Amino acid sequence: MIVSDFKSLIPKKAVNFAQLLRVLGSLLLVEAVFMLAPLLTCIGYGEDDWRAFAVALIATVASGCALRFCIRGGSRFMGRREGCLLTAVVWVAFSLFGMIPFLFSAIHLNVSESFFEAMSGFTTTGATVIRDVEVCSHGILLWRALTQWVGGLGIVLFTLAIIPSLNNNGGLSMFNAEVSGITHDKLGARVANTAKILWGVYAMITLVLVGLLWAGPMNLFDSICHAMSTLSTGGYSTKNESIAAFDSPYVKTVLTLFMFIGGVNFALVFAAVKGHFSRLWHNDVFRAFLVFIGVNYVLTAGSVIGSGAYSGWESITIDPLFHIVSAMTSTGLGAGNFESWGALTLVVTMSMMYVGACAGSTTGGAKIDRVLYLLKSFRIEVKRAIRPRAIMPVSVNGQFVTPERSNEIVSFLMIYTLMIIFGGVVLSAMGFPIVDAFFSSFSCMSNNGLGAGVTGITGSYDFLPAAGKWVMSFLMLAGRLEVFTVIVLFAPSFWRR
């Protein structure tokens, strides 16, 4: 009785670290499997970088096994705290182990550069510190594309698909923490089923894109890399000049279509694959997505003509549309020097980077869902000024937005904006021009990767000092996990039972 009373006085842990570490070990073993592809690619091409991937593979497997099989104690339970913490930690862990190939490869990036490159890949930002990507081995180029492809739908979401036991162990918490937007459409009765469906559709569309690109001027390797970076809306390319290097209207047209698909909620993509196209048109957010693209296309094409950058039909048709979809879906692939299209284009680009595409997609940005809510809310407030007693709730896709969700949306947009300002101020304090500083912060927070000024289409982020790279890496992570999953870890109440 006395022993029992004594044990009751011992405070219980707020977080089940033992189970969290075991699951993290399983996740690292998943990452190790993905490392096999670039390792075998290097061996196939006779490149020395196979050693870098061998080191990374051994380190990842050893750490994964140690966490998975050597951690004892604790229950198997994973609640909301564990799910939220694991979701944030796994992105950092994947980047830490994913940076090893960059450290030991022939390009010899330092620690801050390697972590930045890996984090940019997994968060599908696409910002790079490698000025000449064409000197990289095939293994490194494939690893960059793979990190974006895995990070596109989400690391945790992939694991939920292959480890069904997580379905009842914090799986829903991890799903909600990782999948973007204000709504999460579940396609199956269980989270694991949803994950399998989403990844199945994702892989199928990727294979289709590989075939279409291979049918054009790209070889098979370039097609694979660009297919993975396009559908994931990541933007890493195998060429220094990005898509402009291929100088092909066919490639730009195909990539524009698939970037657009990457920007649509994958629940709607799945419905379209099954032939339910009416769900697309009856979706408020999808229609808003089309309207945003149309309006911004007209503005950009007009800016091209007004700035004197017109150089043929392609310069006012394919190129502006490619750029708009690339910016709005946070892909960041470049087809030309958009800075020469006039100041209006830069303003339109930044607005698209902020808005982003649809929730539940692979894209970054604040998401059209939230912006649409604000626009509808603004319209209703104007009506209330005329009829103050009228009850007019805000609805998106036929669902009323509750006051709690409304507060969450407003809070998110405020914090999101403040973090962009924070990054811009930090880079400005480091001596960078204010426009370049804020554009770089904007690009990283929105997981876009587009460059302007010192980080133009053929430039890179290697100009940042080590401290700047770590700050931008943090913004990329916060943007990918949509702020709250990261910010909540800094709240003292999170760590108290």
Side-chain angles (χ1 to χ4, degrees), residues 4 43-44 50 85 144 147 150 166-167 208 230 232 259 281 299 317-318 324 331 335 347 354 396 420 456 460 472 474:
S4 177
I43 294 175
W50 72 266
L85 180 58
R144 294 168 84 235
T147 58
V150 174
L166 288 179
N167 191 78
V208 172
T230 297
S232 65
M259 285 189 294
W281 185 247
L299 292 174
T317 54
I318 296 177
I324 288 163
T331 308
V347 174
Y354 186 90
V396 177
I420 293 173
S460 75
M472 292 300 104
F474 173 76

PDB file of all heavy atoms in Angstrom, residues 4 43-44 50 85 144 147 150 166-167 208 230 232 259 281 299 317-318 324 331 335 347 354 396 420 456 460 472 474:
ATOM      1  N   SER A   4       2.618   1.575  -3.345  1.00  0.00           N
ATOM      2  CA  SER A   4       1.666   2.046  -4.344  1.00  0.00           C
ATOM      3  C   SER A   4       1.424   3.535  -4.212  1.00  0.00           C
ATOM      4  O   SER A   4       1.373   4.267  -5.204  1.00  0.00           O
ATOM      5  CB  SER A   4       0.349   1.286  -4.208  1.00  0.00           C
ATOM      6  OG  SER A   4      -0.594   1.780  -5.133  1.00  0.00           O
ATOM      7  N   ILE A  43      26.766   2.818 -58.726  1.00  0.00           N
ATOM      8  CA  ILE A  43      27.499   1.610 -59.125  1.00  0.00           C
ATOM      9  C   ILE A  43      27.285   1.339 -60.608  1.00  0.00           C
ATOM     10  O   ILE A  43      28.221   1.008 -61.355  1.00  0.00           O
ATOM     11  CB  ILE A  43      27.042   0.399 -58.278  1.00  0.00           C
ATOM     12  CG1 ILE A  43      27.456   0.604 -56.813  1.00  0.00           C
ATOM     13  CG2 ILE A  43      27.639  -0.893 -58.825  1.00  0.00           C
ATOM     14  CD1 ILE A  43      26.940  -0.471 -55.879  1.00  0.00           C
ATOM     15  N   GLY A  44      26.036   1.496 -61.071  1.00  0.00           N
ATOM     16  CA  GLY A  44      25.722   1.259 -62.480  1.00  0.00           C
ATOM     17  C   GLY A  44      26.454   2.210 -63.416  1.00  0.00           C
ATOM     18  O   GLY A  44      26.877   1.818 -64.512  1.00  0.00           O
ATOM     19  N   TRP A  50      29.276   6.163 -54.839  1.00  0.00           N
ATOM     20  CA  TRP A  50      28.622   5.018 -54.199  1.00  0.00           C
ATOM     21  C   TRP A  50      29.104   4.877 -52.766  1.00  0.00           C
ATOM     22  O   TRP A  50      28.362   4.411 -51.895  1.00  0.00           O
ATOM     23  CB  TRP A  50      28.874   3.736 -54.992  1.00  0.00           C
ATOM     24  CG  TRP A  50      30.283   3.198 -54.915  1.00  0.00           C
ATOM     25  CD1 TRP A  50      31.296   3.445 -55.782  1.00  0.00           C
ATOM     26  CD2 TRP A  50      30.806   2.322 -53.910  1.00  0.00           C
ATOM     27  NE1 TRP A  50      32.445   2.798 -55.393  1.00  0.00           N
ATOM     28  CE2 TRP A  50      32.165   2.092 -54.240  1.00  0.00           C
ATOM     29  CE3 TRP A  50      30.284   1.722 -52.773  1.00  0.00           C
ATOM     30  CZ2 TRP A  50      32.992   1.280 -53.476  1.00  0.00           C
ATOM     31  CZ3 TRP A  50      31.107   0.916 -52.003  1.00  0.00           C
ATOM     32  CH2 TRP A  50      32.437   0.700 -52.341  1.00  0.00           C
ATOM     33  N   LEU A  85       4.871  15.335 -32.036  1.00  0.00           N
ATOM     34  CA  LEU A  85       6.322  15.425 -31.850  1.00  0.00           C
ATOM     35  C   LEU A  85       7.055  14.573 -32.875  1.00  0.00           C
ATOM     36  O   LEU A  85       8.054  15.011 -33.460  1.00  0.00           O
ATOM     37  CB  LEU A  85       6.690  14.986 -30.430  1.00  0.00           C
ATOM     38  CG  LEU A  85       8.183  15.010 -30.068  1.00  0.00           C
ATOM     39  CD1 LEU A  85       8.760  16.406 -30.254  1.00  0.00           C
ATOM     40  CD2 LEU A  85       8.384  14.533 -28.630  1.00  0.00           C
ATOM     41  N   ARG A 144      18.469  13.697 -54.783  1.00  0.00           N
ATOM     42  CA  ARG A 144      17.770  14.977 -54.642  1.00  0.00           C
ATOM     43  C   ARG A 144      16.315  14.828 -55.098  1.00  0.00           C
ATOM     44  O   ARG A 144      15.396  15.329 -54.450  1.00  0.00           O
ATOM     45  CB  ARG A 144      18.459  16.066 -55.470  1.00  0.00           C
ATOM     46  CG  ARG A 144      19.858  16.422 -54.977  1.00  0.00           C
ATOM     47  CD  ARG A 144      20.586  17.284 -55.999  1.00  0.00           C
ATOM     48  NE  ARG A 144      20.237  18.692 -55.868  1.00  0.00           N
ATOM     49  CZ  ARG A 144      19.774  19.437 -56.846  1.00  0.00           C
ATOM     50  NH1 ARG A 144      19.544  18.926 -58.036  1.00  0.00           N
ATOM     51  NH2 ARG A 144      19.510  20.724 -56.644  1.00  0.00           N
ATOM     52  N   THR A 147      14.301  12.599 -52.533  1.00  0.00           N
ATOM     53  CA  THR A 147      13.918  13.279 -51.291  1.00  0.00           C
ATOM     54  C   THR A 147      12.659  14.103 -51.500  1.00  0.00           C
ATOM     55  O   THR A 147      11.777  14.147 -50.632  1.00  0.00           O
ATOM     56  CB  THR A 147      15.051  14.191 -50.778  1.00  0.00           C
ATOM     57  OG1 THR A 147      15.398  15.157 -51.785  1.00  0.00           O
ATOM     58  CG2 THR A 147      16.294  13.385 -50.411  1.00  0.00           C
ATOM     59  N   VAL A 150       9.527  11.653 -51.963  1.00  0.00           N
ATOM     60  CA  VAL A 150       9.077  11.109 -50.673  1.00  0.00           C
ATOM     61  C   VAL A 150       8.421  12.195 -49.831  1.00  0.00           C
ATOM     62  O   VAL A 150       7.382  11.983 -49.195  1.00  0.00           O
ATOM     63  CB  VAL A 150      10.257  10.484 -49.908  1.00  0.00           C
ATOM     64  CG1 VAL A 150       9.820  10.041 -48.509  1.00  0.00           C
ATOM     65  CG2 VAL A 150      10.818   9.291 -50.662  1.00  0.00           C
ATOM     66  N   LEU A 166       0.596   1.355 -37.026  1.00  0.00           N
ATOM     67  CA  LEU A 166       0.559   2.749 -36.568  1.00  0.00           C
ATOM     68  C   LEU A 166      -0.839   3.341 -36.684  1.00  0.00           C
ATOM     69  O   LEU A 166      -1.101   4.423 -36.158  1.00  0.00           O
ATOM     70  CB  LEU A 166       1.532   3.604 -37.383  1.00  0.00           C
ATOM     71  CG  LEU A 166       3.028   3.394 -37.125  1.00  0.00           C
ATOM     72  CD1 LEU A 166       3.846   4.302 -38.017  1.00  0.00           C
ATOM     73  CD2 LEU A 166       3.374   3.626 -35.668  1.00  0.00           C
ATOM     74  N   ASN A 167      -1.718   2.662 -37.406  1.00  0.00           N
ATOM     75  CA  ASN A 167      -3.069   3.182 -37.607  1.00  0.00           C
ATOM     76  C   ASN A 167      -3.762   3.458 -36.276  1.00  0.00           C
ATOM     77  O   ASN A 167      -4.508   4.422 -36.131  1.00  0.00           O
ATOM     78  CB  ASN A 167      -3.891   2.169 -38.410  1.00  0.00           C
ATOM     79  CG  ASN A 167      -5.213   2.739 -38.874  1.00  0.00           C
ATOM     80  OD1 ASN A 167      -5.264   3.484 -39.832  1.00  0.00           O
ATOM     81  ND2 ASN A 167      -6.276   2.414 -38.175  1.00  0.00           N
ATOM     82  N   VAL A 208       3.291   7.744 -65.309  1.00  0.00           N
ATOM     83  CA  VAL A 208       2.743   8.319 -66.536  1.00  0.00           C
ATOM     84  C   VAL A 208       3.582   9.505 -66.989  1.00  0.00           C
ATOM     85  O   VAL A 208       3.915   9.645 -68.182  1.00  0.00           O
ATOM     86  CB  VAL A 208       1.272   8.751 -66.331  1.00  0.00           C
ATOM     87  CG1 VAL A 208       0.765   9.530 -67.535  1.00  0.00           C
ATOM     88  CG2 VAL A 208       0.390   7.535 -66.085  1.00  0.00           C
ATOM     89  N   THR A 230       8.571  17.160 -60.202  1.00  0.00           N
ATOM     90  CA  THR A 230       7.414  17.918 -60.695  1.00  0.00           C
ATOM     91  C   THR A 230       6.149  17.570 -59.936  1.00  0.00           C
ATOM     92  O   THR A 230       5.450  18.447 -59.422  1.00  0.00           O
ATOM     93  CB  THR A 230       7.199  17.665 -62.198  1.00  0.00           C
ATOM     94  OG1 THR A 230       8.331  18.148 -62.929  1.00  0.00           O
ATOM     95  CG2 THR A 230       5.942  18.376 -62.691  1.00  0.00           C
ATOM     96  N   SER A 232       5.835  16.140 -57.118  1.00  0.00           N
ATOM     97  CA  SER A 232       5.988  16.490 -55.700  1.00  0.00           C
ATOM     98  C   SER A 232       6.009  17.995 -55.505  1.00  0.00           C
ATOM     99  O   SER A 232       6.077  18.475 -54.377  1.00  0.00           O
ATOM    100  CB  SER A 232       7.294  15.899 -55.157  1.00  0.00           C
ATOM    101  OG  SER A 232       8.429  16.490 -55.790  1.00  0.00           O
ATOM    102  N   MET A 259       2.261  19.774 -62.942  1.00  0.00           N
ATOM    103  CA  MET A 259       2.393  20.653 -61.778  1.00  0.00           C
ATOM    104  C   MET A 259       1.012  21.042 -61.276  1.00  0.00           C
ATOM    105  O   MET A 259       0.767  21.101 -60.062  1.00  0.00           O
ATOM    106  CB  MET A 259       3.208  21.905 -62.130  1.00  0.00           C
ATOM    107  CG  MET A 259       4.695  21.684 -62.260  1.00  0.00           C
ATOM    108  SD  MET A 259       5.655  23.219 -62.412  1.00  0.00           S
ATOM    109  CE  MET A 259       5.096  23.842 -64.001  1.00  0.00           C
ATOM    110  N   TRP A 281     -15.509  19.973 -60.329  1.00  0.00           N
ATOM    111  CA  TRP A 281     -16.160  21.235 -60.628  1.00  0.00           C
ATOM    112  C   TRP A 281     -17.027  21.730 -59.472  1.00  0.00           C
ATOM    113  O   TRP A 281     -17.198  22.937 -59.301  1.00  0.00           O
ATOM    114  CB  TRP A 281     -16.994  21.113 -61.902  1.00  0.00           C
ATOM    115  CG  TRP A 281     -17.582  22.429 -62.301  1.00  0.00           C
ATOM    116  CD1 TRP A 281     -18.879  22.791 -62.322  1.00  0.00           C
ATOM    117  CD2 TRP A 281     -16.842  23.588 -62.690  1.00  0.00           C
ATOM    118  NE1 TRP A 281     -19.018  24.093 -62.714  1.00  0.00           N
ATOM    119  CE2 TRP A 281     -17.769  24.620 -62.947  1.00  0.00           C
ATOM    120  CE3 TRP A 281     -15.477  23.853 -62.855  1.00  0.00           C
ATOM    121  CZ2 TRP A 281     -17.391  25.876 -63.360  1.00  0.00           C
ATOM    122  CZ3 TRP A 281     -15.095  25.125 -63.258  1.00  0.00           C
ATOM    123  CH2 TRP A 281     -16.048  26.124 -63.512  1.00  0.00           C
ATOM    124  N   LEU A 299      -2.559  38.838 -66.114  1.00  0.00           N
ATOM    125  CA  LEU A 299      -1.673  39.887 -65.604  1.00  0.00           C
ATOM    126  C   LEU A 299      -0.232  39.684 -66.058  1.00  0.00           C
ATOM    127  O   LEU A 299       0.455  40.634 -66.468  1.00  0.00           O
ATOM    128  CB  LEU A 299      -1.739  39.916 -64.073  1.00  0.00           C
ATOM    129  CG  LEU A 299      -3.059  40.380 -63.449  1.00  0.00           C
ATOM    130  CD1 LEU A 299      -3.019  40.207 -61.937  1.00  0.00           C
ATOM    131  CD2 LEU A 299      -3.345  41.837 -63.808  1.00  0.00           C
ATOM    132  N   THR A 317       2.237  32.778 -74.075  1.00  0.00           N
ATOM    133  CA  THR A 317       1.314  31.649 -73.878  1.00  0.00           C
ATOM    134  C   THR A 317       1.903  30.616 -72.929  1.00  0.00           C
ATOM    135  O   THR A 317       1.558  30.568 -71.748  1.00  0.00           O
ATOM    136  CB  THR A 317       0.957  30.996 -75.231  1.00  0.00           C
ATOM    137  OG1 THR A 317       2.180  30.649 -75.930  1.00  0.00           O
ATOM    138  CG2 THR A 317       0.128  31.934 -76.085  1.00  0.00           C
ATOM    139  N   ILE A 318       2.804  29.804 -73.429  1.00  0.00           N
ATOM    140  CA  ILE A 318       3.352  28.694 -72.636  1.00  0.00           C
ATOM    141  C   ILE A 318       4.200  29.189 -71.483  1.00  0.00           C
ATOM    142  O   ILE A 318       4.043  28.729 -70.334  1.00  0.00           O
ATOM    143  CB  ILE A 318       4.170  27.748 -73.537  1.00  0.00           C
ATOM    144  CG1 ILE A 318       3.260  27.094 -74.575  1.00  0.00           C
ATOM    145  CG2 ILE A 318       4.857  26.674 -72.692  1.00  0.00           C
ATOM    146  CD1 ILE A 318       3.999  26.204 -75.563  1.00  0.00           C
ATOM    147  N   ILE A 324       3.412  30.696 -63.890  1.00  0.00           N
ATOM    148  CA  ILE A 324       2.330  30.893 -62.924  1.00  0.00           C
ATOM    149  C   ILE A 324       2.044  29.604 -62.164  1.00  0.00           C
ATOM    150  O   ILE A 324       1.964  29.589 -60.932  1.00  0.00           O
ATOM    151  CB  ILE A 324       1.057  31.389 -63.643  1.00  0.00           C
ATOM    152  CG1 ILE A 324       1.237  32.828 -64.085  1.00  0.00           C
ATOM    153  CG2 ILE A 324      -0.168  31.283 -62.730  1.00  0.00           C
ATOM    154  CD1 ILE A 324       0.245  33.259 -65.118  1.00  0.00           C
ATOM    155  N   THR A 331       6.309  24.711 -57.020  1.00  0.00           N
ATOM    156  CA  THR A 331       7.282  23.823 -57.658  1.00  0.00           C
ATOM    157  C   THR A 331       8.616  24.526 -57.843  1.00  0.00           C
ATOM    158  O   THR A 331       9.669  23.987 -57.499  1.00  0.00           O
ATOM    159  CB  THR A 331       6.756  23.330 -59.024  1.00  0.00           C
ATOM    160  OG1 THR A 331       5.453  22.796 -58.859  1.00  0.00           O
ATOM    161  CG2 THR A 331       7.669  22.267 -59.595  1.00  0.00           C
ATOM    162  N   ALA A 335      11.579  28.273 -66.410  1.00  0.00           N
ATOM    163  CA  ALA A 335      11.579  28.120 -67.871  1.00  0.00           C
ATOM    164  C   ALA A 335      12.133  29.358 -68.559  1.00  0.00           C
ATOM    165  O   ALA A 335      12.184  29.424 -69.777  1.00  0.00           O
ATOM    166  CB  ALA A 335      10.165  27.858 -68.374  1.00  0.00           C
ATOM    167  N   VAL A 347       5.542  41.054 -58.490  1.00  0.00           N
ATOM    168  CA  VAL A 347       4.467  41.212 -57.505  1.00  0.00           C
ATOM    169  C   VAL A 347       3.484  40.046 -57.597  1.00  0.00           C
ATOM    170  O   VAL A 347       3.089  39.463 -56.578  1.00  0.00           O
ATOM    171  CB  VAL A 347       3.725  42.550 -57.712  1.00  0.00           C
ATOM    172  CG1 VAL A 347       2.511  42.646 -56.794  1.00  0.00           C
ATOM    173  CG2 VAL A 347       4.665  43.726 -57.477  1.00  0.00           C
ATOM    174  N   TYR A 354       2.568  33.195 -51.897  1.00  0.00           N
ATOM    175  CA  TYR A 354       1.898  33.291 -50.601  1.00  0.00           C
ATOM    176  C   TYR A 354       0.627  32.445 -50.580  1.00  0.00           C
ATOM    177  O   TYR A 354       0.393  31.681 -49.637  1.00  0.00           O
ATOM    178  CB  TYR A 354       1.545  34.741 -50.289  1.00  0.00           C
ATOM    179  CG  TYR A 354       0.975  34.934 -48.899  1.00  0.00           C
ATOM    180  CD1 TYR A 354       1.817  35.193 -47.822  1.00  0.00           C
ATOM    181  CD2 TYR A 354      -0.394  34.853 -48.661  1.00  0.00           C
ATOM    182  CE1 TYR A 354       1.313  35.360 -46.545  1.00  0.00           C
ATOM    183  CE2 TYR A 354      -0.907  35.011 -47.392  1.00  0.00           C
ATOM    184  CZ  TYR A 354      -0.051  35.274 -46.331  1.00  0.00           C
ATOM    185  OH  TYR A 354      -0.571  35.423 -45.063  1.00  0.00           O
ATOM    186  N   VAL A 396     -17.257  26.606 -46.860  1.00  0.00           N
ATOM    187  CA  VAL A 396     -16.334  26.219 -47.919  1.00  0.00           C
ATOM    188  C   VAL A 396     -16.666  24.791 -48.309  1.00  0.00           C
ATOM    189  O   VAL A 396     -16.690  23.899 -47.458  1.00  0.00           O
ATOM    190  CB  VAL A 396     -14.868  26.328 -47.461  1.00  0.00           C
ATOM    191  CG1 VAL A 396     -13.925  25.833 -48.564  1.00  0.00           C
ATOM    192  CG2 VAL A 396     -14.523  27.758 -47.078  1.00  0.00           C
ATOM    193  N   ILE A 420       7.670  34.929 -42.139  1.00  0.00           N
ATOM    194  CA  ILE A 420       8.309  35.432 -43.353  1.00  0.00           C
ATOM    195  C   ILE A 420       9.062  36.728 -43.052  1.00  0.00           C
ATOM    196  O   ILE A 420      10.204  36.923 -43.481  1.00  0.00           O
ATOM    197  CB  ILE A 420       7.260  35.675 -44.456  1.00  0.00           C
ATOM    198  CG1 ILE A 420       6.655  34.345 -44.913  1.00  0.00           C
ATOM    199  CG2 ILE A 420       7.870  36.420 -45.644  1.00  0.00           C
ATOM    200  CD1 ILE A 420       5.502  34.492 -45.884  1.00  0.00           C
ATOM    201  N   GLY A 456      18.762  34.217 -58.468  1.00  0.00           N
ATOM    202  CA  GLY A 456      18.018  34.089 -59.712  1.00  0.00           C
ATOM    203  C   GLY A 456      17.988  32.682 -60.243  1.00  0.00           C
ATOM    204  O   GLY A 456      18.523  31.752 -59.631  1.00  0.00           O
ATOM    205  N   SER A 460      22.011  30.315 -56.643  1.00  0.00           N
ATOM    206  CA  SER A 460      21.735  29.358 -55.579  1.00  0.00           C
ATOM    207  C   SER A 460      21.789  30.082 -54.247  1.00  0.00           C
ATOM    208  O   SER A 460      22.113  31.268 -54.165  1.00  0.00           O
ATOM    209  CB  SER A 460      22.744  28.213 -55.604  1.00  0.00           C
ATOM    210  OG  SER A 460      23.999  28.632 -55.091  1.00  0.00           O
ATOM    211  N   MET A 472      16.898  29.509 -42.595  1.00  0.00           N
ATOM    212  CA  MET A 472      16.052  29.183 -43.744  1.00  0.00           C
ATOM    213  C   MET A 472      15.587  27.726 -43.690  1.00  0.00           C
ATOM    214  O   MET A 472      14.474  27.401 -44.101  1.00  0.00           O
ATOM    215  CB  MET A 472      16.799  29.447 -45.053  1.00  0.00           C
ATOM    216  CG  MET A 472      17.083  30.922 -45.337  1.00  0.00           C
ATOM    217  SD  MET A 472      15.599  31.956 -45.459  1.00  0.00           S
ATOM    218  CE  MET A 472      15.670  32.809 -43.857  1.00  0.00           C
ATOM    219  N   PHE A 474      14.926  26.096 -40.971  1.00  0.00           N
ATOM    220  CA  PHE A 474      13.827  26.097 -40.005  1.00  0.00           C
ATOM    221  C   PHE A 474      12.539  26.606 -40.643  1.00  0.00           C
ATOM    222  O   PHE A 474      11.454  26.044 -40.427  1.00  0.00           O
ATOM    223  CB  PHE A 474      14.190  26.967 -38.799  1.00  0.00           C
ATOM    224  CG  PHE A 474      13.042  27.167 -37.841  1.00  0.00           C
ATOM    225  CD1 PHE A 474      12.655  26.157 -36.982  1.00  0.00           C
ATOM    226  CD2 PHE A 474      12.342  28.370 -37.807  1.00  0.00           C
ATOM    227  CE1 PHE A 474      11.584  26.321 -36.110  1.00  0.00           C
ATOM    228  CE2 PHE A 474      11.278  28.550 -36.945  1.00  0.00           C
ATOM    229  CZ  PHE A 474      10.900  27.525 -36.090  1.00  0.00           C
TER     230      PHE A 474
END
